[in-house]
Amino acid sequence: MFGVWAPGEDVSKLAYFGLYALQHRGQESAGIAVGDGSAILVYKDMGLVSQVFDERTLSSLVGHVAVGHCRYSTTGSSRWENAQPTLAPTTEGTVALGHNGNLTNTVELAAQLGDDSSTTDSMLMLNAIAVELDDGRSDGRQLERALMKVLPKLRGAFSLVVMDQGLSLIHISEPT
């Protein structure tokens, strides 16, 4: 996974080159989400980074911040729906998440969320973050506040890169 915040730069190409360098970490699928302050666009597909992205696709992903991911399966099957970054709509706008690692308490977390449709631990984490973002408080630090509530509930070893529509970009590594 890869995150970049670079206003005025071509963040989709920076993310592409970052993912290309990380390709050895996962060759199943690749994706990039880009935010411009008003929306997040994502493009992801099955295959190697160089197979998923071309110049035309990269030039359509314009913004100031990007989250990229190349995946290998640890949970969930190898299919498009499980490719990352994963997006979720919230009352505060869209949030995008890239995740590597494994949660050991997915059953417990799914029960807490009432979530029986998520196919990966990544989706469970994103749904937990989205629930916290939907609490209605807008203070300019919504993503940080949501993560502070969700992270103590997660068990396992993982790294996350998360961005919101307001151009916040946060990287977290939790080696527990």
Side-chain angles (χ1 to χ4, degrees):
M1 57 185 196
F2 189 85
V4 60
W5 185 85
E9 300 295 327
D10 193 346
V11 294
S12 64
K13 284 189 180 169
L14 292 172
Y16 171 85
F17 289 123
L19 291 179
Y20 191 83
L22 293 171
Q23 184 72 78
H24 67 283
R25 297 284 302 142
Q27 300 179 359
E28 177 180 302
S29 63
I32 297 173
V34 174
D36 65 3
S38 62
I40 294 176
L41 298 174
V42 65
Y43 187 84
K44 59 186 179 178
D45 209 347
M46 304 303 288
L48 299 172
V49 174
S50 62
Q51 295 169 327
V52 171
F53 296 102
D54 59 23
E55 189 64 38
R56 182 173 166 222
T57 303
L58 290 171
S59 66
S60 70
L61 297 171
V62 178
H64 308 296
V65 63
V67 170
H69 191 274
C70 45
R71 183 173 194 260
Y72 62 96
S73 295
T74 55
T75 64
S77 60
S78 178
R79 54 184 228 221
W80 185 88
E81 293 82 8
N82 294 334
Q84 296 182 41
T86 305
L87 299 183
T90 75
T91 56
E92 296 296 326
T94 304
V95 63
L97 175 136
H99 161 245
N100 284 337
N102 288 299
L103 291 185
T104 57
N105 65 330
T106 55
V107 173
E108 176 187 332
L109 187 58
Q112 289 174 2
L113 293 170
D115 184 338
D116 59 358
S117 63
S118 290
T119 58
T120 65
D121 49 0
S122 306
M123 217 35 224
L124 276 172
M125 283 189 267
L126 182 60
N127 290 342
I129 294 166
V131 165
E132 293 300 331
L133 285 170
D134 281 339
D135 75 0
R137 290 182 12 196
S138 291
D139 61 5
R141 299 183 74 171
Q142 298 89 318
L143 183 58
E144 180 182 340
R145 191 181 68 251
L147 288 167
M148 294 303 289
K149 288 184 176 182
V150 170
L151 290 172
K153 299 175 186 177
L154 306 178
R155 302 286 177 260
F158 56 87
S159 291
L160 306 173
V161 61
V162 187
M163 72 179 213
D164 66 12
Q165 198 165 302
L167 303 182
S168 296
L169 177 67
I170 299 173
H171 173 262
I172 298 160
S173 289
E174 182 61 35
T176 58

